[in-house]
Amino acid sequence: MSLLEHVRRLYSLDTLDTRFTTHAKPSPNATAPQLDPAKPSPNEAEKISRLNNGDRAGKDGASPPLWRTPEFFLYYLVFLVCVPLMFKAVYDVSKPSHPNYPKYAGLLSPGWIPGRMMDNSDDQYSTFHDNLPYMFILVIIHPLLRKLYEARYPLKEPPASGSALSHSNGSSTSLHNLAEARMDRRISYDLYFALAFLFALHGFSMLKILLILYANFSLAKRAPKQYAPAATWIFNIGILFANELGKGYRFSTIAEFMLSWSTAKSGGVNRSFKTNWGSILDSYGGLVPRWEILFNLTILRLISFNMDYIWSLGRGESSPVEKKQLDLANLSERDRVDAPARHQDYSFRNYLAYVLYSPLYLTGPIITFNDYISQTRYSPRSITSNRTILYGVRFLICLLTMEVMLHFIYAVAISKAQPAWEVYTPFQLSMLGYFNLHIIWLKLLLPWRFFRFWALLDGIDPPENMVRCMSDNYSTLAFWRGWHRSFNRWIVRYLYIPLGGSGGPQTRGTWGKARAALNFLLVFTFVALWHDIQLRVLMWGWLISLFVLPEVIAGFAFPAKRWQSRKTAYRWLCGVGAIGNILMMMAANLVGFAIGLDGLQGLVRGIVGSYSGLVFLATACATLFVGVQVMFETRQHELRQGIVLKC
């Protein structure tokens, strides 16, 4: 295999996540059609079939390749000129000789590249960066301990129960019982390790976490079925606010409250003991004393368990898996997610193991309870040693990219220092914002891929969170399908669809469209509050909801079917609209996660506050147009290969 083939395989979608290419490789053991989130619908499958048969320019198919046309050779020239200039602009403003350098020099740290300081001023990434050696050790220890545990407790087939699940291929009850034994052994190890991991992370605060988990479990099991969904949402959103207001419920604060209550009854007896016990417990808060900061992700798993359990109650005794006659050991992801687990699987033990599963506890990706139970029974066939190694190599390349960037590009430190923006040219200002967003993308991608890599090593295959590079997005709607993808899928399953979504007979007419828009606003309000209960993040959520409207309106005003005879003109028209989308997405994310509204206003004034700035803005829009055309063709290329990512 040549070097180029190795690189192609390394950066293939199949290496990133087999969910994207599952439809191209149907399982030989499947005995019934299986729908998968990455698999094309029947209409799309028919379209791809035509493409594979040579109908590449059909009315409903992908357009002929444009990579070797004169138009795209011009685009290549633009890339060759502009991309180096982009890096140079932000590198120049990061030099010690720049007038603003003393204002942010204190935010820089000694780096490992000789002669360069490192911009480790972002709190999220610095935590990940500083603890990375310890996390690598943990990733090695955790699977090794599981191997030892499995050697100590080898699989033994349990006695057959009253009724066994049917297998579509007629496999014996013995195989089913072995799967049950495998699940029992995996969950036992997951739970033991998770409890030890939780205590190491949060110390005695793990008691608060376990109390919240028990309350949520009790709500699902004891609340009347018709009220349980609403009660689940109210309880968990209430916990989000309570955690923020209570600052993690320090034991010393609880002790003081108990002291004030008991003093009124006992006259202040044993004051010193009652004052100190809370401080003693607070003194060991683990490696991450502020457990409430990381609890937002746990909230999603709490809701997932409750809703999966509640929905399972309405399915009756028959299993959808039995109805479809599917192979239990080779279910598609959609079947793993949608098919409810057995009633006895929704136990407190399994619930704790799922919610506290160590590889995914800190940052995700998010996996549903049904999917977790299915994968603990039957090892997913998507996990292979070669694919996992390649995925780990991709992570290391991304990590190296981030580290080199932070040694030569100080965009985060500059934005934090809020320097005199007028010192920078419009081009430099725009590149500071652009690279700031790229660093945000990388600082989120790295933890997500690291912990997903850990889960893959452990035999669990969660969804990939980052599908495309930040610079390979032109649609606001598609961007959110590919950014934090597991969270997006969670939102769709547990919030957006239950609210009514955006389709169906109920959304027809003016009221229906208004309801769909309201659902979208409610979803992004929750997303903003889930990220952080701050005004600027809430503004970010509302801006995203607002910025979706132009794309939706443009889709109604310029439907593709009316431009079938003028496809090139339509592609260029869409490119013009995509420029506005990109500018709005950049503005919203800079407000929410980088420089805030005031910083954005200063940035915009610096860019458009002069004639030269307006000229630059026009040039930048032309450059974005070139980039968008390449994005369009990239997606057409994927369609020719039978891949429909929808993002």
Side-chain angles (χ1 to χ4, degrees):
M1 187 181 291
S2 68
L3 178 61
L4 181 59
E5 289 174 329
H6 278 293
V7 172
R8 284 177 175 171
R9 186 171 184 185
L10 178 63
Y11 283 97
S12 69
L13 285 170
D14 190 67
T15 296
L16 190 62
D17 193 337
T18 57
R19 291 168 178 83
F20 304 139
T21 55
T22 301
H23 58 277
K25 297 179 295 184
S27 169
N29 295 324
T31 59
Q34 299 183 18
L35 295 177
D36 192 86
K39 184 176 181 178
S41 65
N43 290 337
E44 290 168 337
E46 182 182 351
K47 177 194 308 181
I48 291 166
S49 176
R50 287 199 304 271
L51 297 178
N52 292 337
N53 290 329
D55 185 16
R56 295 174 177 263
K59 183 175 69 172
D60 298 323
S63 61
L66 299 175
W67 297 117
R68 297 184 180 181
T69 61
E71 176 189 353
F72 270 70
F73 280 114
L74 175 62
Y75 296 160
Y76 303 151
L77 179 62
V78 173
F79 269 77
L80 288 173
V81 173
C82 289
V83 173
L85 289 177
M86 292 165 66
F87 279 92
K88 182 179 183 301
V90 73
Y91 172 72
D92 288 343
V93 300
S94 301
K95 290 180 178 179
S97 57
H98 195 274
N100 274 335
Y101 184 83
K103 296 183 179 180
Y104 62 84
L107 297 174
L108 305 180
S109 309
W112 53 266
I113 296 180
R116 298 297 305 179
M117 299 291 285
M118 178 183 178
D119 183 0
N120 200 26
S121 59
D122 184 272
D123 294 334
Q124 279 183 304
Y125 184 73
S126 65
T127 301
F128 176 78
H129 171 271
D130 297 343
N131 290 287
L132 196 55
Y134 309 106
M135 291 191 292
F136 270 118
I137 294 173
L138 190 62
V139 166
I140 295 172
I141 291 176
H142 177 262
L144 289 179
L145 287 178
R146 184 183 291 280
K147 293 294 184 184
L148 293 175
Y149 183 85
E150 291 175 350
R152 176 66 178 82
Y153 300 100
L155 286 180
K156 295 180 180 179
E157 181 183 334
S161 56
S163 62
L165 292 177
S166 300
H167 286 59
S168 59
N169 60 359
S171 60
S172 67
T173 302
S174 175
L175 293 177
H176 167 70
N177 289 338
L178 284 174
E180 294 299 309
R182 179 183 187 273
M183 183 186 77
D184 182 73
R185 185 176 66 177
R186 278 194 64 93
I187 286 181
S188 294
Y189 177 81
D190 286 346
L191 182 57
Y192 298 150
F193 191 93
L195 292 175
F197 186 57
L198 192 67
F199 184 73
L201 284 176
H202 306 310
F204 290 109
S205 288
M206 72 176 290
L207 300 175
K208 308 168 193 174
I209 296 173
L210 293 175
L211 181 61
I212 295 173
L213 266 56
Y214 178 74
N216 181 76
F217 179 82
S218 300
L219 189 151
K221 291 288 187 174
R222 298 177 183 176
K225 179 185 173 183
Q226 63 270 32
Y227 303 122
T232 292
W233 279 97
I234 292 171
F235 172 78
N236 282 283
I237 291 177
I239 289 295
L240 283 177
F241 281 92
N243 287 352
E244 179 72 17
L245 297 174
K247 304 297 182 184
Y249 326 110
R250 292 182 61 83
F251 285 112
S252 57
T253 304
I254 298 173
E256 290 175 5
F257 174 79
M258 295 177 64
L259 174 66
S260 62
W261 178 79
S262 61
T263 300
K265 302 187 67 174
S266 62
V269 178
N270 294 331
R271 181 180 180 88
S272 60
F273 171 76
K274 293 178 179 177
T275 301
N276 290 334
W277 71 264
S279 300
I280 293 172
L281 294 178
D282 284 333
S283 65
Y284 183 69
L287 300 173
V288 186
R290 296 190 62 192
W291 62 273
E292 71 276 10
I293 295 177
L294 301 172
F295 198 73
N296 288 13
L297 205 69
T298 305
I299 289 287
L300 304 182
R301 290 189 283 267
L302 299 187
I303 295 174
S304 174
F305 172 85
N306 281 21
M307 298 305 294
D308 283 0
Y309 171 69
I310 294 164
W311 290 337
S312 74
L313 298 177
R315 296 290 184 101
E317 295 298 326
S318 61
S319 166
V321 174
E322 290 179 334
K323 292 179 180 178
K324 295 181 181 180
Q325 292 293 300
L326 300 179
D327 178 7
L328 292 175
N330 193 35
L331 295 177
S332 70
E333 188 201 26
R334 176 166 291 182
D335 287 320
R336 294 201 309 261
V337 170
D338 287 346
R342 297 182 308 165
H343 183 73
Q344 58 266 39
D345 290 336
Y346 296 95
S347 65
F348 188 65
R349 171 176 169 269
N350 293 357
Y351 164 73
L352 282 182
Y354 160 69
V355 172
L356 302 176
Y357 179 59
S358 300
L360 306 180
Y361 173 75
L362 290 172
T363 67
I366 304 154
I367 188 173
T368 68
F369 178 79
N370 288 344
D371 196 2
Y372 170 77
I373 289 296
S374 178
Q375 292 196 47
T376 55
R377 272 202 180 93
Y378 298 96
S379 178
R381 300 190 179 185
S382 57
I383 298 179
T384 64
S385 298
N386 187 56
R387 187 180 288 117
T388 302
I389 291 171
L390 289 175
Y391 188 85
V393 171
R394 284 187 67 159
F395 164 77
L396 291 176
I397 292 173
C398 291
L399 177 63
L400 181 62
T401 301
M402 180 67 154
E403 289 288 308
V404 172
M405 279 183 63
L406 294 180
H407 279 77
F408 290 91
I409 295 174
Y410 302 148
V412 178
I414 292 172
S415 65
K416 280 195 168 188
Q418 291 289 309
W421 297 113
E422 59 271 13
V423 175
Y424 301 104
T425 67
F427 183 42
Q428 290 172 339
L429 283 172
S430 63
M431 289 303 99
L432 282 172
Y434 176 77
F435 279 94
N436 218 321
L437 290 175
H438 260 287
I439 290 171
I440 291 173
W441 174 71
L442 277 169
K443 80 171 184 179
L444 295 174
L445 176 144
L446 287 169
W448 286 337
R449 287 199 176 170
F450 176 85
F451 288 108
R452 181 171 184 257
F453 176 62
W454 181 3
L456 291 172
L457 289 175
D458 191 46
I460 295 291
D461 185 6
E464 170 62 31
N465 264 343
M466 288 292 197
V467 181
R468 297 192 188 275
C469 174
M470 188 214 78
S471 293
D472 188 15
N473 289 278
Y474 60 86
S475 164
T476 307
L477 290 170
F479 174 75
W480 292 112
R481 295 191 192 109
W483 176 286
H484 204 170
R485 182 169 172 268
S486 67
F487 184 39
N488 174 269
R489 289 151 62 92
W490 184 96
I491 285 288
V492 170
R493 174 173 171 80
Y494 296 110
L495 183 58
Y496 191 56
I497 290 178
L499 284 174
S502 61
Q506 70 274 20
T507 59
R508 292 174 183 169
T510 304
W511 165 244
K513 298 301 180 185
R515 179 184 172 184
L518 178 61
N519 290 344
F520 203 85
L521 181 62
L522 289 174
V523 164
F524 270 97
T525 298
F526 170 77
V527 170
L529 293 175
W530 177 83
H531 275 90
D532 200 354
I533 302 176
Q534 288 186 10
L535 180 59
R536 77 172 188 175
V537 182
L538 192 59
M539 291 174 60
W540 163 81
W542 291 340
L543 282 173
I544 293 298
S545 302
L546 178 64
F547 290 166
V548 165
L549 290 178
E551 182 176 345
V552 174
I553 294 171
F556 283 116
F558 302 98
K561 61 184 179 181
R562 295 183 183 176
W563 294 76
Q564 290 299 324
S565 60
R566 295 173 291 170
K567 290 188 176 182
T568 300
Y570 186 67
R571 174 166 57 85
W572 290 348
L573 178 65
C574 291
V576 173
I579 293 170
N581 264 354
I582 293 171
L583 294 176
M584 289 188 291
M585 284 192 291
M586 291 178 67
N589 285 299
L590 283 171
V591 169
F593 300 105
I595 58 181
L597 187 59
D598 293 338
L600 179 65
Q601 289 174 344
L603 201 63
V604 171
R605 280 196 301 268
I607 293 175
V608 301
S610 64
Y611 175 76
S612 61
L614 293 174
V615 172
F616 160 74
L617 182 61
T619 306
C621 289
T623 306
L624 286 175
F625 178 85
V626 171
V628 168
Q629 296 306 314
V630 175
M631 296 180 210
F632 289 164
E633 184 60 19
T634 299
R635 284 151 181 79
Q636 291 294 309
H637 177 72
E638 291 170 353
L639 185 57
R640 295 180 201 111
Q641 294 180 321
I643 298 171
V644 184
L645 293 183
K646 300 180 182 179
C647 67

